[in-house]
Amino acid sequence: QVHLVESGGGVVQAGGSLRLSCAASGITFSTNAMGWYRLAPGKQREFVAAITNDGVTNYEDSVKGRFTISRDNTKNTVYLQMNSLKPEDTAVYTCKGWYSRGDYWGQGTQVTVSS
């Protein structure tokens, strides 16, 4: 059974940094991409960033230049380095994996940025 487990969330002051991790287990088929979405109170879930198996990255406009996504294919793990955090980045960040046999989601980790 596939599991995606996020870690690294927490509370940070504006301007600070956090690094999120998402470790995938139970993967016995090929990975196409891994990425992050976020859900803020009163808003719809939005795409944050993704990285393909070949290392091609894509970012939502508001996080470009501040967030960096990376992955370790040997560990089936994706990371999201978040710098220069803003209060509007406050949300539950959820990991998503796109695989040859379907898409899977993690449970999410809370990121709170105080002003």
Side-chain angles (χ1 to χ4, degrees):
Q1 190 171 359
V2 175
H3 291 284
L4 299 179
V5 179
E6 302 96 337
S7 61
V11 180
V12 64
Q13 288 189 331
S17 298
L18 283 174
R19 187 192 193 211
L20 305 183
S21 299
C22 172
S25 61
I27 304 298
T28 60
F29 31 85
S30 61
T31 303
N32 295 324
M34 296 184 74
W36 295 89
Y37 283 73
R38 65 186 179 186
L39 179 62
K43 295 185 178 181
Q44 292 187 330
R45 183 168 61 187
E46 68 172 354
F47 169 81
V48 177
I51 183 167
T52 70
N53 210 35
D54 297 329
V56 177
T57 59
N58 188 29
Y59 296 93
E60 192 270 330
D61 286 345
S62 70
V63 307
K64 286 180 180 178
R66 300 188 298 123
F67 291 9
T68 302
I69 189 169
S70 61
R71 63 188 292 175
D72 184 337
N73 291 338
T74 64
K75 297 180 179 179
N76 282 325
T77 299
V78 64
Y79 307 95
L80 186 68
Q81 177 66 43
M82 305 185 295
N83 299 328
S84 302
L85 283 161
K86 304 175 181 180
E88 51 263 43
D89 293 319
T90 295
V92 175
Y93 285 71
T94 305
C95 175
K96 180 178 181 179
W98 291 266
Y99 303 101
S100 59
R101 294 188 182 182
D103 303 341
Y104 294 89
W105 294 85
Q107 292 299 309
T109 184
Q110 177 69 47
V111 171
T112 302
V113 184
S114 61
S115 57

